[in-house]
Amino acid sequence: MGSGVPDDLQDYQQIQQQFANYIRDPEHNSVPTGIEQRRMDIYKRLFFNNLASFCAKSFKSFRPFVDDEQWNTLIRGFMREHRCSSPYFKDIPIAFVEYLESSDWDSTEYPFMSEMCHLDAMRMQLRLAPDAPPCENLDISKNTTCVRLSSTVRLLSYKWPVHKLTLSTWDNQQPNQPTWLIAFRDRKDKVEVFGTNVHTFRMLESLEFPLTIRALTTRLSEEFNIAHESLMNQLAPTIQAFNKKGVILTLLKN
């Protein structure tokens, strides 16, 4: 086995690189010079088990689909092939999804894998996201109240209905239509995910910046080719319902 370490590094840097290479891929790398095999085996197990345990807790939706051997192969591949750009544990789920998207794992037996893991990563992001800015729950007026999407919301589109796929419902049949999801942390700090339709999804996408209901209706009526007043009458109760959930915030027009 080779060291995979550049010759122009300082001695201590070479040892560090050998150490990292062995931890990532002990099958194809040598133990660093001068370090006892027994000690390296302890480090090897520690790093691997910590990462495998953290990922299992982060990806609770997908983990039941694979047995222990498949899971361990996934984790080892992640350690060996992916280079994380962040030192924080909270960013590992996104890095793991990036690894899945660049590999061929989910192109065969589990074509929904990266999407399901991405949804779980978004759930974690929402749990850790800063609170939305304080905002009064105003009586919604079509002309004077502005509405905007909360910062504790993620709008997600997938090929597969990953929010409800389980071992018992998985049939390997991809739906004809995409799945549109709203993931958010509610006012009680509970993360929820529910499906919606493309029109509601587009409405929420349009609220990245504050708009009055009338301005929002004008924009969407042109996109959807729906009569202005008819659409406004549909939007008002929908916006009120989302406002109660904390998905949409209200503020007075400047």
Side-chain angles (χ1 to χ4, degrees), residues 3-11 13-15 17-18 21:
S3 66
V5 178
D7 295 331
D8 58 348
L9 295 178
Q10 298 290 328
D11 289 347
Q13 292 175 316
Q14 291 191 23
I15 293 174
Q17 189 65 63
Q18 290 171 355
N21 289 348

Side-chain angles (χ1 to χ4, degrees), residues 13-29:
Q13 292 175 316
Q14 291 191 23
I15 293 174
Q16 288 176 335
Q17 189 65 63
Q18 290 171 355
F19 182 94
N21 289 348
Y22 184 79
I23 293 298
R24 287 192 180 99
D25 187 13
E27 185 177 346
H28 298 100
N29 288 280

Side-chain angles (χ1 to χ4, degrees), residues 46-64 66 70-79 82 84 88-100 116-118 120-121 124 127:
L46 182 64
F47 274 82
F48 182 87
N49 290 341
N50 281 350
L51 183 60
S53 176
F54 181 81
C55 287
K57 293 176 182 177
S58 300
F59 301 109
K60 292 180 179 179
S61 300
F62 178 71
R63 180 63 180 89
V66 292
Q70 289 173 306
W71 180 250
N72 289 340
T73 300
L74 261 176
I75 298 302
R76 178 58 67 191
F78 176 44
M79 290 184 69
H82 193 78
C84 295
Y88 299 111
F89 260 66
K90 68 180 180 64
D91 295 326
I92 289 176
I94 292 296
F96 187 75
V97 172
E98 290 172 352
Y99 164 68
L100 293 179
M116 181 174 280
C117 289
H118 183 269
D120 277 340
M124 176 171 283
R127 293 187 190 101

Side-chain angles (χ1 to χ4, degrees), residues 104-124:
D104 59 2
W105 268 92
D106 65 351
S107 63
T108 54
E109 189 172 359
Y110 308 108
F112 58 89
M113 180 195 292
S114 60
E115 291 188 343
M116 181 174 280
C117 289
H118 183 269
L119 177 57
D120 277 340
M122 292 299 100
R123 287 188 175 105
M124 176 171 283

Side-chain angles (χ1 to χ4, degrees), residues 213-249:
I213 296 182
R214 188 168 296 280
L216 175 64
T217 303
T218 298
R219 174 180 295 184
L220 295 180
S221 65
E222 294 174 355
E223 287 189 28
F224 299 156
N225 194 25
I226 299 176
H228 190 280
E229 289 304 316
S230 173
L231 181 58
M232 184 179 291
N233 291 334
Q234 296 175 49
L235 285 179
T238 301
I239 287 173
Q240 289 174 336
F242 278 136
N243 181 232
K244 288 180 180 179
K245 287 180 174 291
V247 173
I248 285 177
L249 306 179

